[in-house]
Amino acid sequence: MEHTTAFQRVAQVGNLTEMPLNPLEQQVVTIFLTVLICVVGIGGNIMVVLVVLRTKHMVTPTNCYLVSLAAADLIVLVAAGLPNISDVVAFWIYGYTGCLCITYLQYLGINVSSCSITAFTIERYIAICHSIKAQFLCTVSRAKRIIAGVWVFTSLYCIMWLFLVDTDETVYTNGVVVTCGYRVSRSLYMPIYFLDFTLFYVIPLTVATVLYGLIARILFMSPLPSHLSDREGGGSVHQGHTSSTNRGNKGAIFARKQITKMLLVVVVLFALLWLPYRTLVVVNSFLNPPYHNTWFLLFCRMCIYTNSAINPIIYNLMSQKFRGAFQNFCKCDWQHEEKVAEFRVPMYYSVIKDSSRESNEPVTEQEEVSGQITERVTVADEDRSTFICS
């Protein structure tokens, strides 16, 4: 379909000079860094999505938000990173439709990633600071509804970019250069940039700063509050059961600290890696002409791509659950089923023996606790056995 409306710009005659080309060293550096970051980021984010969706014990409210973040980062890398490779060599080659779609997807991925970070920050705050309410508020089904709402909201919000961008053609003596830019003047799209800056950078970081401060006060204070340190074991009359429960509570508290630290690192990296680009936009809104140093622009782009690629690495380094799930996904250890089968033999014997008791024969405390542990281990093994590598 040809666009012959007033919005479609006609070719403009340049200064009848040769078309400007990016320096060779800039092309080499751009292509190398972009390919490296995009390959690592796309592979890592795909693994995050697959690992969470295919492993039962990984399907938690927090991980649902991380899947949303991974999907958004994939969009950023595919819609912003990969087109940058061709753009630095041959200018814009995707036409008018590509200009609209790629711009839309770029802002969609950026905005969804910001909203996902805000969502899991609020979820962590409720889970730690309001643990009673968290049992009803922090559920997988609610997380899925919130994620669906985030994607619908950002999809509708980003529609405005379809009306703000256009292709532009400039004629030179040795060819025509096509660029994908804005069809409105700089003074008109600056308010939109500031709206994006406020909604998807300032507000999320402000919320994260306040909530993580409250989380740190609760989670890292000494002594711990009673609802965290004695949440499940309080009131037990059996010393052995109390000791095992306390050990379980310590393990749960350690896991909470671990996941909270990991998510805090994700937020900090988001703030730091987006800071150069956001600062440039703010500064250029007051400069005339704007600052467009090619190497600094390249640095800003690489920071954005790195932010979308680094999260799976953070999960692997800071989360034992993710690290183990990634290892299972990569190794495809088929011997696991044989080990599970061997390990289950005495467990099934124990269950059969217990069930063969007469109804009037009492069950000792030690056997009762042993039966509880047997049941939990069996269920855990069943969950692990559902993870099948392809």
Side-chain angles (χ1 to χ4, degrees), residues 136-210:
F136 308 98
L137 297 179
C138 300
T139 62
V140 172
S141 59
R142 183 180 292 272
K144 291 179 179 179
R145 291 195 296 269
I146 292 174
I147 291 169
V150 165
W151 281 86
V152 170
F153 166 73
T154 51
S155 298
L156 296 176
Y157 174 86
C158 292
I159 288 178
M160 66 177 179
W161 291 105
L162 299 177
F163 303 95
L164 296 174
V165 296
D166 196 0
T167 54
D168 183 31
E169 296 180 356
T170 304
V171 178
Y172 292 90
T173 56
N174 58 340
V176 178
V177 173
V178 180
T179 57
C180 177
Y182 301 100
R183 65 175 59 184
V184 296
S185 64
R186 180 165 167 257
S187 60
L188 292 178
Y189 70 72
M190 275 303 168
I192 300 174
Y193 265 133
F194 275 101
L195 178 62
D196 265 22
F197 176 72
T198 303
L199 290 179
F200 302 106
Y201 189 74
V202 175
I203 292 179
L205 292 185
T206 302
V207 171
T209 301
V210 174

Side-chain angles (χ1 to χ4, degrees), residues 122-140:
I122 297 174
E123 188 271 340
R124 281 291 86 194
Y125 167 75
I126 297 175
I128 293 174
C129 299
H130 301 280
S131 56
I132 303 239
K133 294 181 180 179
Q135 299 177 14
F136 308 98
L137 297 179
C138 300
T139 62
V140 172

Side-chain angles (χ1 to χ4, degrees), residues 340-381:
V340 171
E342 294 176 0
F343 191 61
R344 283 179 177 174
V345 171
M347 291 185 179
Y348 284 116
Y349 173 76
S350 176
V351 172
I352 294 173
K353 182 180 70 174
D354 291 342
S355 62
S356 63
R357 284 183 178 272
E358 296 179 1
S359 59
N360 59 353
E361 186 176 357
V363 180
T364 64
E365 176 189 345
Q366 182 178 2
E367 289 176 341
E368 180 182 2
V369 174
S370 175
Q372 293 176 355
I373 297 175
T374 299
E375 181 181 359
R376 292 177 183 174
V377 174
T378 304
V379 171
D381 285 338

Side-chain angles (χ1 to χ4, degrees), residues 72-73 75-76 104-114 151 158:
D73 288 339
I75 293 177
V76 173
Y104 176 83
L105 291 175
Q106 287 177 2
Y107 284 99
L108 175 65
I110 292 168
N111 296 344
V112 170
S113 64
S114 177
W151 281 86
C158 292

Side-chain angles (χ1 to χ4, degrees), residues 51-60 382-384 386-387:
V51 161
V52 174
L53 295 183
R54 297 176 61 181
T55 313
K56 284 186 177 180
H57 74 272
M58 294 293 290
V59 181
T60 64
E382 290 177 354
D383 286 344
R384 286 197 297 270
T386 58
F387 183 84

Side-chain angles (χ1 to χ4, degrees), residues 235-256:
S236 176
V237 296
H238 303 296
Q239 183 177 0
H241 182 66
T242 302
S243 300
S244 62
T245 304
N246 288 337
R247 287 195 298 269
N249 287 339
K250 290 181 179 179
I253 293 170
F254 174 78
R256 285 189 171 194

